[in-house]
Amino acid sequence: MTKYAKRKRPYYVVVAQVAAELNKTLASCRKINLTASNAQAASTRIGNTAMGFKVLTHFIDELASETQKAAKEINHLARQASTLATYIARSQMALKQFSSAKARLGSDAEQPAMQRAEVKTQAKYQHQRHEFDDMINQIQCQLDELKKTLRTANALASVCRIEACRVDKQNQDTFIGVADKVDEVAEAIHQRVDTAITLFTHREDKEAA
């Protein structure tokens, strides 16, 4: 997993943006499901000459369902990361307050109770950051896997065009339209996944407490 030297967006902004992109992906997956259902209905209407295409639409529908499931899982992780980012922000604020208090009080700030509280908060902050980075790595890995899955969609669209040639001219446009829709939606999802991945490459540097 790539480690980034410089981040230009705060982590809590990134996870919110990724969640928004994946919500759009879920809508695109539903479009593929609908397209596959319409194609199956057309295949049934045409009969034996479109049987090969009917099998293909089953795979298209299955692919859309898998993509939708993956997007939901990533979105769930993004929401968890967003919640954790809130806790991290609170810990950072507490640490800044400790720092301000020490600067203001000088030697009077060297009280055991305050020191224990600061050490405890620092440990909590480090644990939260570690947990957050692990979560972000999981999201990135799943985004990479989702990107690989989309290549299958393009392959299925190509086979759809071949199968379209097996039916009469009157119905070819219907099946070519299905292939075009699969390509179009897959490309839209692909761009959103790329956007989500790019967002992670522009996060701001981890803030030192």
Side-chain angles (χ1 to χ4, degrees), residues 41 43 48 86 91 135 198:
S43 300
N48 292 334
T86 302
S91 295
M135 207 172 285
T198 301

Side-chain angles (χ1 to χ4, degrees), residues 22 68-78 80 139 142:
L22 291 171
Q68 191 170 10
K69 180 182 177 183
K72 283 181 178 178
E73 288 175 354
I74 297 169
N75 209 353
H76 177 66
L77 277 172
Q80 286 184 312
I139 293 173
Q142 291 196 31

Side-chain angles (χ1 to χ4, degrees), residues 89-152:
R90 290 174 184 170
S91 295
Q92 285 178 321
M93 181 61 68
L95 288 170
K96 287 178 181 177
Q97 288 173 346
F98 277 122
S99 180
S100 296
K102 285 194 295 185
R104 186 173 61 255
L105 299 174
S107 59
D108 291 337
E110 301 300 321
Q111 299 176 15
M114 180 179 285
Q115 289 179 332
R116 284 195 299 270
E118 183 179 13
V119 169
K120 184 177 179 180
T121 303
Q122 179 66 40
K124 182 179 180 181
Y125 169 74
Q126 293 300 335
H127 175 75
Q128 289 170 337
R129 285 312 307 247
H130 179 72
E131 187 178 353
F132 181 84
D133 286 341
D134 282 348
M135 207 172 285
I136 293 304
N137 283 340
Q138 287 182 55
I139 293 173
Q140 288 180 278
C141 287
Q142 291 196 31
L143 285 171
D144 289 338
E145 287 301 313
L146 182 53
K147 193 172 179 178
K148 292 175 185 176
T149 301
L150 293 172
R151 297 192 190 108
T152 305

